[in-house]
Amino acid sequence: MSAPAYLDHNATSPLRPVAFDAMVEALRAGGNPSSVHDAGRKARAIVDKARREVASLVGALPTETIFTSGGTEANNLALSGAGRRRVLVSAIEHDSVRRGVPHAEILPVDSDGVLDLAALEATLAASSEPVLVSVMLANNETGVLQPIAEVVRRARAAGALVHCDAVQGAGKVPVDLQGLGVDYLSLSAHKLGGPAGVGALVVRNGAPFSPDRLGGGQESNRRAGTENVAGIAGFGAAAQAARGGLDVTGMRDQLELSLVQIAPGATVFGVRVSRIGNTTCISMPGVPAETQVMALDLAGVCISAGAACSSGKVQRSPVLTAMGVAAEEATWATRISLGWNTEPADIERLITAWQNLYIRVRQSDISHTHSRARAA
């Protein structure tokens, strides 16, 4: 049987060959980056090179870049390290932000999934207490891009700091720390073809920051613990490869057009606003997301029922709920996400599987309707 059509890159993107090679080289080199002997210096050189590569991806300085265990730690580190008790987060943030600050004040989004800037201004004005605002760059379920520059402008006027979770945006759309104007920026390697288990928090020079753990003084005393040299090397190589962006918007648009033609009642969420070019969140009318994921998996196609960070459970999307999507329609929604190795054949395979499932369900519904009519 041929390899599955993997279309779940927002959950994790397959390891790029250049990242694999960089990791193998680092593993062979060995050494602790904190050691002063030859092996340690070689390990330090690997980490320093990767730090430059990751910083370059987002227009940051290497000295502003702290390696972490992933996007979740980067988000938690920003939220705690900023030192602000009052925190505002959007209603569509990842769980690592929402649960990272349980007492955070929630900012609404509109029906397209875009942050309500008027609500942000009003909430900022409601108190003179120092504030941290946390808004993601691109939503992991819908791909909708947020107006980060406008968030920063309003936040600055109120004396607030800004954190941006750029995990889903980096490597897919241009990201520039200075252009965005944010104070903290979170990244994750495995979303752009690097290894899982490594990420970074970029802290703008001059922004307040306190580490949440103490130890041997690694990462310039900002994140204690021996660095994951092989993972960091893979992250750097993947970041370098991702600098060219992700040119899959054409395939994504053709996919959406085909699926809506197959099922005229299907809804593509966020289609009216700017999105990253790899993400489609779409409902198949009358078919639960869990059924779709399993049926397509049997057909050799991998998609998801939303965020992949809920212990494998399929549950109603808080993102679609925040957008005001009806409860029933939200249960029909799945996420399709393309990546660096997606081919047109993968899209065709998905379209065929999606069509076959929809036809089967429709025929089954018609058959049940006729059976009930005869019984009556």
Side-chain angles (χ1 to χ4, degrees), residues 37-339:
H37 50 58
D38 181 66
R41 292 196 302 274
K42 288 178 179 176
R44 172 53 56 194
I46 291 171
V47 172
D48 289 345
K49 178 177 182 288
R51 198 185 308 277
R52 292 192 296 272
E53 292 169 333
V54 172
S56 178
L57 176 66
V58 295
L61 297 173
T63 54
E64 297 174 311
T65 307
I66 306 167
F67 285 118
T68 68
S69 64
T72 291
E73 185 192 347
N75 283 340
N76 276 250
L77 193 56
L79 296 169
S80 64
R84 298 289 171 93
R85 192 190 68 83
R86 188 177 181 222
V87 180
L88 313 183
V89 307
S90 83
I92 57 168
E93 294 303 307
H94 189 270
D95 276 353
S96 59
V97 170
R98 291 285 299 270
R99 298 182 67 182
V101 189
H103 64 272
E105 298 169 58
I106 308 301
L107 301 169
V109 297
D110 63 20
S111 59
D112 293 311
V114 178
L115 180 71
D116 185 333
L117 291 170
L120 169 63
E121 274 194 294
T123 306
L124 285 169
S127 170
S128 60
E129 183 179 354
V131 174
L132 172 67
V133 179
S134 182
V135 178
M136 59 177 28
L137 177 61
N139 185 259
N140 49 302
E141 293 187 38
T142 63
V144 170
L145 290 161
Q146 299 303 315
I148 300 300
E150 285 300 308
V151 170
V152 170
R153 189 173 69 82
R154 287 162 170 77
R156 288 284 180 267
L161 297 169
V162 180
H163 164 246
C164 179
D165 173 356
V167 164
Q168 290 294 348
K172 299 169 186 171
V173 294
V175 178
D176 179 70
L177 180 72
Q178 301 305 319
L180 290 175
V182 301
D183 301 288
Y184 313 94
L185 190 78
S186 299
L187 304 169
S188 178
H190 77 109
K191 304 297 187 179
L192 46 80
V198 60
L201 175 65
V202 178
V203 179
R204 179 185 56 79
N205 279 341
F209 180 78
S210 299
D212 67 351
R213 66 184 72 183
L214 302 174
Q218 291 88 354
E219 296 299 294
S220 299
N221 288 305
R222 297 174 298 182
R223 198 267 186 180
T226 301
E227 293 93 341
N228 172 8
V229 179
I232 288 170
F235 189 6
Q240 185 74 4
R243 287 189 65 184
L246 190 61
D247 185 18
V248 294
T249 305
M251 281 195 288
R252 192 275 311 272
D253 290 348
Q254 182 56 52
L255 165 68
E256 292 177 353
L257 179 62
S258 298
L259 297 186
V260 171
Q261 287 176 339
I262 291 167
T267 299
V268 179
F269 300 101
V271 72
R272 297 180 298 184
V273 295
S274 296
R275 295 176 291 160
I276 47 176
N278 80 313
T279 304
T280 293
C281 183
I282 186 169
S283 66
M284 181 187 286
V287 186
E290 188 170 8
T291 299
Q292 296 179 56
V293 171
M294 290 189 294
L296 267 62
D297 186 37
L298 291 172
V301 180
C302 301
I303 65 169
S304 76
C309 299
S310 303
S311 301
K313 298 176 181 176
V314 176
Q315 52 191 351
R316 184 180 174 190
S317 165
V319 172
L320 297 183
T321 299
M323 292 168 61
V325 176
E328 184 178 45
E329 186 175 18
T331 66
W332 303 336
T334 57
R335 181 188 67 190
I336 303 159
S337 47
L338 287 54

